[in-house]
């Protein structure tokens, strides 16, 4: 279903011949409800407006209903405006594999590329994507959130009712959209009315949910692009249950943390899409607050458009975490260096037995025993203390929320211990503020030199904050070659460069421009105005972190300089700049 609304809430409207061709701008909102601006939105211009569908689509790209056709297999039952070239992928990703045997209601998520282009470098995404977009959106992917129902129904030829309600969004807010589906899907399945096709979908309840500070990722007054930057990590960390997801590989959590940190190719083989997606998302979140910059697919099928790219044996596996359930992958991905085999999740009160890391050659089928199949040797020594702490919690029947909090804190402290030396060294690359001159270009950051960084680890390394022993130097050397370091450093370099630009702009605003232009020719004064306008445009476009009032002061400077020029030039310079 394309996100197009009815003219009046609760009153059906005649469905056009093709929803894709309907002009959303011609549809009036039904009620005067303020929806928090979507990512990249302008708070000042959008505040207290009616509910336009273009803002709604910043949250949801489309809503799909996928059913099972005896002749066609999985098929979209509701015509909609899904992303170009993705219909087949959505159909197959919205249903569990036949071997999963998911009876009842199941929720999971998947992820797929936005464009039809093949490989696009991470650097290109980070450099060209708008600064205000949450970092997790800078890799060009859509997320699909699925509520699948399979129940016996003797009235159907197949003997089962099988259908999925799917939300497609650019936002990776797992808990948020899953909780939204828990409201929407049961009502839709039970009523069995074509409410989505008729445009009678109760979007008011969705908007109220978006505005609800309890269910939304953050308070409605804080739902701006800037405040959404870290919500992906927060949403994942506080939604999943790490001990449950990691149960079959409980004693290898630290090794898995290293594999994710280093951006290693990793595949999770699970019995169901729910367990597959939960485990992949838990892995991605375990290195928070460091952002995972490689690709990851919570649920991956043989029908995915990247199937050939990710399963080819002609080159090394890419930096990606795949979650799969089809037994076919046990053979197809046998050449991958690191494989996690997840069995059926046990009861919360049980505890995994000690399992050794298995050799890859022992993984022959998806029915192989649960465990980690890899030849990887961890850089750090195993932390027995966290395992004992969690084991004790099981024995004492500690609440799962408390167990989760312990493990989340452990991962957080481990990642922070690792990243603090890098942050400290990168901060030292910043030029001194006294070197900034308003009449010269902003100074450049000093280059990142690996040898210099390594020298700092002897006295200011992770040993200051972490009790773990091992080859920290080797771990850093490996990390500096990984996509996660590339993404992290590009982001930090951009932030620091913008800080330098901001300091340069502030220094410029403190100058007495009226006095300076007395020595300028008319041509030089016009050139100064144009440069100041460029500075103002850059500051507004990139939202440079300047002190409050700086941009107003710059505008006043520009206006003051313009008024010193002849009237004909004033008229020209007062005209808005056209791009």
């Amino acid at each position: 279903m394309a996100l197009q609304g009815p003219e009046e809430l609760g009153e059906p409207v005649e469905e056009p011949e093709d929803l894709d061709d309907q002009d959303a701008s011609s549809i009036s909102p039904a009620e005067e409800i303020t929806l928090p601006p979507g990512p990249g939105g302008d708070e000042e211009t959008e505040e207290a407006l009616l509910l336009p569908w273009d803002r709604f689509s910043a949250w949801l790209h489309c809503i799909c209903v996928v059913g099972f056709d005896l002749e066609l297999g999985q098929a979209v039952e509701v015509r909609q405006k899904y992303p170009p070239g993705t219909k087949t992928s959505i159909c197959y990703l919205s249903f569990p594999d036949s071997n999963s045997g998911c009876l009842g209601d199941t929720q999971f998520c998947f992820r797929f590329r936005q464009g039809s282009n093949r490989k696009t470098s991470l650097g290109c995404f980070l450099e060209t994507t708008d600064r205000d977009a949450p970092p997790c959106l800078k890799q060009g992917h859509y997320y699909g959130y699925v509520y699948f129902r399979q129940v016996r129904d003797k009235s159907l030829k197949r003997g089962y009712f099988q259908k999925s309600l799917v939300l497609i969004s650019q936002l990776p807010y797992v808990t948020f959209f899953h909780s939204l589906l828990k409201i929407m899907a049961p009502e839709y399945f039970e009523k069995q009315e074509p409410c989505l096709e008729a445009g009678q979908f109760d979007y008011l309840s969705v908007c109220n949910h978006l505005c609800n500070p309890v269910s939304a990722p953050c308070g409605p007054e804080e739902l701006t692009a800037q405040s959404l930057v870290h919500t992906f990590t927060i949403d994942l960390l506080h939604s999943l249950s790490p001990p449950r997801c990691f149960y079959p590989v409980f004693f290898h959590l630290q090794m898995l943390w290293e594999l994710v940190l280093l951006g290693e190719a990793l595949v999770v083989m699970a019995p169901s899409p729910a367990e597959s997606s939960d485990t992949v998302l838990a892995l991605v979140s375990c290195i928070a607050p460091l952002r995972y910059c490689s690709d990851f697919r919570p649920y991956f099928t043989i029908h995915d458009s990247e199937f050939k790219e990710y399963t080819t044996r002609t080159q090394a596996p890419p930096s990606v975490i795949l979650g799969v359930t089809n037994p076919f992958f046990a053979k197809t991905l046998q050449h991958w260096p690191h494989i996690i085999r997840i069995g059926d999740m046990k009861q919360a009160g049980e505890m995994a037995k000690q399992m050794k890391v298995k050799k890859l050659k022992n993984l022959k089928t998806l029915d192989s025993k649960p465990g980690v199949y890899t030849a990887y040797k961890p850089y750090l020594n195993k932390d027995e203390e966290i395992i004992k702490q969690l084991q004790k919690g099981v024995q004492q029947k500690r609440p799962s929320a408390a167990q989760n909090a312990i493990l989340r804190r452990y991962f957080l402290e481990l990642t922070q211990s690792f990243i603090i030396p890098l942050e400290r060294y990168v901060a030292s690359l910043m030029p001194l503020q006294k070197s900034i001159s308003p009449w010269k270009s902003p100074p450049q950051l000093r280059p990142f030199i690996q040898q210099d960084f390594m020298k700092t680890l002897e006295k200011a390394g992770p040993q200051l904050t972490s009790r773990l022993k091992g080859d920290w130097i080797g771990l850093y050397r490996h990390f500096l070659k990984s996509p996660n370091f590339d993404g992290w450093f590009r982001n930090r370099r951009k932030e620091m460069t913008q800080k330098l630009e901001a300091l340069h702009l502030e220094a410029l605003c403190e100058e007495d421009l009226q006095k300076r232009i007395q020595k300028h020719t008319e041509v030089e004064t016009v050139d100064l105005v144009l440069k100041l306008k460029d500075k103002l445009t850059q500051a507004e476009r990139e939202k440079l972190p300047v002190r409050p009032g700086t941009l107003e002061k710059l505008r006043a400077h520009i206006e003051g300089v313009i008024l010193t020029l002849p009237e004909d030039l004033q008229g020209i310079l007062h005209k808005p700049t056209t791009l």
Side-chain angles (χ1 to χ4, degrees), residues 359-426:
K359 296 181 179 179
L360 285 169
K361 65 180 182 180
N362 294 333
L363 182 66
K364 298 179 180 179
T365 68
L366 200 61
D367 295 327
S368 299
K369 293 182 179 180
V372 179
Y373 295 79
T374 180
Y376 177 81
K377 182 180 179 181
Y379 287 96
L380 304 181
N381 300 336
K382 182 177 291 188
D383 190 342
E384 301 289 350
E385 186 173 328
I386 183 64
I387 296 177
K388 291 179 181 178
Q389 188 177 4
L390 293 171
Q391 283 179 317
K392 184 178 180 181
V394 172
Q395 295 167 359
Q396 296 178 348
K397 298 184 179 180
R398 182 185 294 149
S400 59
Q403 290 282 83
N404 296 345
I406 291 172
L407 190 52
R408 283 198 300 267
R409 185 174 65 248
Y410 171 74
F411 280 137
L412 176 63
E413 292 176 351
L414 184 58
T415 303
Q416 286 179 331
S417 294
F418 180 82
I419 209 69
I420 284 174
L422 280 164
E423 290 281 3
R424 185 183 295 113
Y425 173 74
V426 169

Side-chain angles (χ1 to χ4, degrees), residues 521-566:
T521 64
E522 189 174 281
V523 173
E524 290 174 331
T525 302
V526 171
D527 184 59
L528 175 62
V529 170
L530 295 177
K531 289 181 178 179
L532 291 176
K533 280 192 167 186
D534 287 342
K535 279 282 187 181
L536 180 61
T537 301
Q538 178 193 14
E540 293 174 333
R541 181 181 65 250
E542 299 182 6
K543 289 185 170 52
L544 295 181
V546 294
R547 292 195 300 262
T550 300
L551 298 187
E552 289 74 12
K553 188 180 291 187
L554 180 59
R555 292 188 186 96
H557 276 320
I558 294 173
E559 182 63 22
V561 174
I562 290 177
L563 292 178
T564 66
L565 295 168

Side-chain angles (χ1 to χ4, degrees), residues 449-561:
I449 301 176
Q450 181 174 330
Q451 292 180 343
D452 291 348
F453 165 67
M454 291 299 181
K455 291 177 182 178
T456 67
L457 297 177
E458 183 177 353
K459 295 182 179 180
Q463 70 275 8
L464 297 180
T465 54
S466 176
R467 63 176 178 266
L468 290 183
K469 306 295 182 181
D471 185 8
W472 285 100
I473 300 295
L475 184 61
Y476 278 111
R477 283 201 180 98
H478 196 156
F479 175 73
L480 294 180
K481 301 176 183 177
S482 73
N484 288 331
F485 170 74
D486 182 60
W488 172 82
F489 183 64
R490 284 175 181 270
N491 186 58
R492 292 293 289 117
R493 183 174 58 189
K494 184 175 182 179
E495 290 174 351
M496 295 168 69
T497 301
Q498 289 178 333
K499 180 61 178 178
L500 287 172
E501 292 284 354
L503 292 173
H504 181 261
L505 189 58
E506 290 170 1
L508 188 61
C509 287
E510 297 301 322
E511 290 291 301
D512 186 349
L513 298 185
Q514 294 290 339
K515 181 179 180 180
R516 187 174 183 85
I517 62 174
Q518 291 177 1
K519 301 177 182 179
H520 283 191
T521 64
E522 189 174 281
V523 173
E524 290 174 331
T525 302
V526 171
D527 184 59
L528 175 62
V529 170
L530 295 177
K531 289 181 178 179
L532 291 176
K533 280 192 167 186
D534 287 342
K535 279 282 187 181
L536 180 61
T537 301
Q538 178 193 14
E540 293 174 333
R541 181 181 65 250
E542 299 182 6
K543 289 185 170 52
L544 295 181
V546 294
R547 292 195 300 262
T550 300
L551 298 187
E552 289 74 12
K553 188 180 291 187
L554 180 59
R555 292 188 186 96
H557 276 320
I558 294 173
E559 182 63 22
V561 174

Side-chain angles (χ1 to χ4, degrees), residues 17 97-98 166 198 246 268 290 321 398 443 477 572:
E17 292 184 4
D97 285 314
S98 58
V166 188
F246 292 140
V268 175
L290 186 67
I321 300 178
R398 182 185 294 149
R477 283 201 180 98
I572 294 174

Side-chain angles (χ1 to χ4, degrees), residues 129-185:
T129 309
D130 185 79
R131 175 180 182 269
D132 292 336
C136 49
L137 303 185
K138 294 184 178 181
Q139 294 188 21
H141 289 81
Y142 283 106
Y143 294 80
Y145 303 95
V146 183
Y147 194 106
F148 172 74
R149 174 169 290 183
Q150 178 173 257
V151 294
R152 294 183 182 277
D153 190 336
K154 295 181 180 179
S155 65
L156 300 176
K157 290 183 179 180
R158 188 176 175 82
Y160 285 92
F161 170 88
Q162 296 173 305
K163 192 167 292 189
S164 289
L165 182 61
V166 188
L167 306 181
I168 304 296
S169 174
Q170 291 178 295
L171 301 175
Y173 302 145
V174 182
T175 306
F176 174 62
F177 284 109
H178 278 339
S179 62
L180 201 60
L181 279 169
K182 287 180 181 178
I183 297 173
M184 297 166 53

